[in-house]
Amino acid sequence: MDSFSIIIIILFTLLLSFHHSDSQTVQSTRLLDLMIRDYTIRNFKLNLNTGTIQKIHLPSNFSGIDIDTVKLRCGSLRRYGSRIGEFHIGAGVTVEPCPERVMLVRQNLGSNWSSIYSTGYNLTGYNYQLASPVLGLLAYNANPDGVATNPYEVNVVGTDQNPILIDFLKITANDNPKPTKMNSSVLCACFPSNGSTTFSDQVSPYVCKGTRQGHYALVVTTEARGKDDDSSGGGMVTPSTEVDGGSGGGKLSRWKVAVGSVIGSGIGAILLGLLVVAMLVKGKKKAEREEMERRAYEEEALQVSMVGHVRAPTASGTRTLPVMPDDRYKNTHLNHHR
């Protein structure tokens, strides 16, 4: 096995370990956004009219993620706002920078992928658990006649008077009765790209307010969760149904992260050792090959034969055999008599 093959194995192993452990980090949430962005751009229908919402169907390895996208004029977005999925962008927002066209991408990470934010942003450290899927709204530049080949993120910034509202009612109520009062144990969580988490109260039942694009979710305290599970009011889906799969989900997730990190680090160390060994073996074989080539060159210039157990140089035979003095004398005498 050469060193290149071992390097490929190491990279593949690190990717697997990242999927089990480091995928629960803020960096992996950013990577997920970029992957969704690139796939959305590749599958965006250019013949759709401006303002028409398009559903994006992701590959099977992104099962559970729901994506919508729409292309808008930047000036219209600032003056009139927009609505896409659960996000209602109010009029008067600021778009920085403001290209001619803006592409909005709305994400619903579902129960399969929302746990990345739960662990990556350490909600259990705040004694919170997710009570809804994580919803995301990101904006990118777009060309007038299509989608930009080099997209960059555009900042959509609102204010307290002109906010971005996120309505979780449809995705949390399901078959439960429509809530008629505010549940004080439920808070809004915002997950910015800097890794910190901010919490705020709901502005109305299951409606949150944001001031910029990003990712949002409803959270509930671990203490309040036990009370809400037995209560009949509120009409809220329990966090275990949406995210954690049962009580103690946060502890189980941490345990999985720790085990995954240890296993991934161990496998990485073993493969790194194999890489060093392979490089040493390859270097040794190269030195032996060079030595054999040098000896072959020397033997070609000066033939070498074995005398017992000793190698000794030998000269090749001459073309003309030497004539002994007696033979020369006999030949001269015979010629004289003739």
Side-chain angles (χ1 to χ4, degrees), residues 72-81 93 95 98-102:
L72 302 170
R73 291 180 179 273
C74 182
S76 299
L77 179 60
R78 290 190 302 178
R79 289 191 296 269
Y80 308 113
V93 295
V95 182
C98 187
E100 185 173 348
R101 295 289 195 279
V102 176

Side-chain angles (χ1 to χ4, degrees), residues 87 132-137 164 166 168 188-191 208-218:
F87 290 89
S132 74
V134 174
L135 301 179
L137 176 67
I164 300 174
I166 309 99
F168 291 91
C188 300
C190 176
F191 306 103
C208 296
K209 180 178 68 174
T211 56
R212 64 183 306 115
Q213 85 279 6
H215 294 82
Y216 297 86
L218 295 176

Side-chain angles (χ1 to χ4, degrees), residues 316-334:
S316 60
T318 59
R319 293 179 179 272
T320 304
L321 295 176
V323 179
M324 300 301 294
D326 292 342
D327 295 336
R328 187 173 66 245
Y329 174 76
K330 290 178 181 180
N331 294 335
T332 304
H333 183 71
L334 290 174

Side-chain angles (χ1 to χ4, degrees), residues 83-89 106 135-137 164-166 216:
R83 187 181 187 97
I84 176 171
E86 299 81 8
F87 290 89
H88 181 207
I89 304 173
R106 166 260 183 195
L135 301 179
L137 176 67
I164 300 174
L165 298 179
I166 309 99
Y216 297 86

Side-chain angles (χ1 to χ4, degrees), residues 6-26:
I6 296 179
I7 291 175
I8 294 299
I9 293 176
I10 290 176
L11 293 177
F12 182 71
T13 304
L14 291 177
L15 287 176
L16 288 178
S17 63
F18 287 160
H19 178 72
H20 291 292
S21 59
D22 289 346
S23 63
Q24 309 298 327
T25 63
V26 177

Side-chain angles (χ1 to χ4, degrees), residues 82-156:
S82 179
R83 187 181 187 97
I84 176 171
E86 299 81 8
F87 290 89
H88 181 207
I89 304 173
V93 295
T94 302
V95 182
E96 300 174 349
C98 187
E100 185 173 348
R101 295 289 195 279
V102 176
M103 183 178 70
L104 299 179
V105 179
R106 166 260 183 195
Q107 306 174 0
N108 182 344
L109 299 185
S111 58
N112 293 336
W113 292 85
S114 294
S115 57
I116 295 180
Y117 284 83
S118 176
T119 307
Y121 284 80
N122 192 25
L123 284 182
T124 55
Y126 295 101
N127 292 325
Y128 286 114
Q129 289 182 334
L130 289 175
S132 74
V134 174
L135 301 179
L137 176 67
L138 298 176
Y140 303 97
N141 66 308
N143 292 329
D145 55 348
V147 180
T149 56
N150 296 314
Y152 55 84
E153 189 170 341
V154 176
N155 294 320
V156 180

